[in-house]
Amino acid sequence: MKTATPEATKGVLFGLSAYTIWGCFPLYFALFAGVPSYEVLIHRVIWSCVFLAIVVTALKRWQPIMAALAHPRKLGFVFGCAVFIALNWGVYIYAVETRHVLQASLGYFLTPLVNVGLGMLVLRETISRLQVVAVALAAIAILYQFFLLGLVPWITLVLAFSFGTYGLLRKQVELDGLSGLFVETLLLLPVGLLALAWLGSAGQSHFGDSTTIMVLLISSGIATAVPLLLFAGAARRLRLATVGFLMYINPTLQFLIALFVFDEMMSGEKLLSFAMIWVALGLYSWSAWSGRRRPA
């Protein structure tokens, strides 16, 4: 039996930390009670950019960023990433604000299957029959909610497809995770500053309401960057399959928080929909694992 190397152990700890922080985000964003989700998003963009600039400076990682900014015509995919990650952030904050964390967790459970589907449809990637079955089962689960429950799980769909599309576009960007996210927030910064100025002039800004709210809004930049750095540390040290397995910690924690902290209702019909997604993820994971173990 192979023993884990110190670097692999560090990688697991980094991965566990990153996905645990992301999984506990509902508890964090619930603290912004009284601040509209769009205003939280504005501050998250601004302070993420500020904090990431500090991190990039500390790590001396400006060279790839300056190289990218020197060719603005090549930033089309980066701008697309910026739009979809902002959409994802905004809808997620709204989901927590309105106590639809179950829908949000389902969206992140669904994301790997959306990635598979987008890879097949857009990149013409070949997938196994078992993965086709997994994607089809996930689609049936969503249609089940629509036709039998009379519910369009739009939060689930927007979160899954916005993050899936973000990942698809991110494949076309040469920048690493930290540099890429900084450039993305940098492209969104002018819009964020203009929106913040408008809120202030209209008397609708909550930034000065209290010291607590001010600190929370500023801390959103740190909350965005820290798990990303931990994830990057995990990705460098672990196999992709291991990182993919750890990924399910995030939506699982969100699911548990929704049920036991926010007391969201889980009907039998909704549970069946979740169960179908979980079975689909099990099939997908088994197929991916089997494919990696199969000798060339």
Side-chain angles (χ1 to χ4, degrees), residues 180-201:
L181 185 61
F182 173 68
V183 175
E184 290 159 18
T185 56
L186 187 63
L187 292 176
L188 294 171
L189 183 62
V191 178
L193 291 173
L194 286 173
L196 185 62
W198 180 84
L199 286 176
S201 64

Side-chain angles (χ1 to χ4, degrees), residues 103-114:
Q103 273 207 49
S105 71
L106 184 59
Y108 289 114
F109 276 123
L110 192 62
T111 297
L113 302 174
V114 169

Side-chain angles (χ1 to χ4, degrees), residues 224-285:
T224 298
V226 168
L228 173 71
L229 294 173
L230 290 168
F231 172 78
R236 285 196 303 270
R237 294 170 172 85
L238 299 175
R239 294 185 306 154
L240 188 60
T242 305
V243 174
F245 176 77
L246 293 174
M247 177 184 65
Y248 298 128
I249 294 172
N250 172 15
T252 300
L253 285 175
Q254 292 186 41
F255 178 82
L256 295 174
I257 288 171
L259 286 182
F260 299 112
V261 179
F262 295 157
D263 294 322
E264 292 189 28
M265 296 297 295
M266 171 61 83
S267 64
E269 293 84 355
K270 284 185 179 179
L271 182 59
L272 178 57
S273 180
F274 269 87
M276 292 169 72
I277 296 292
W278 290 330
V279 171
L281 282 174
L283 293 174
Y284 162 73
S285 299

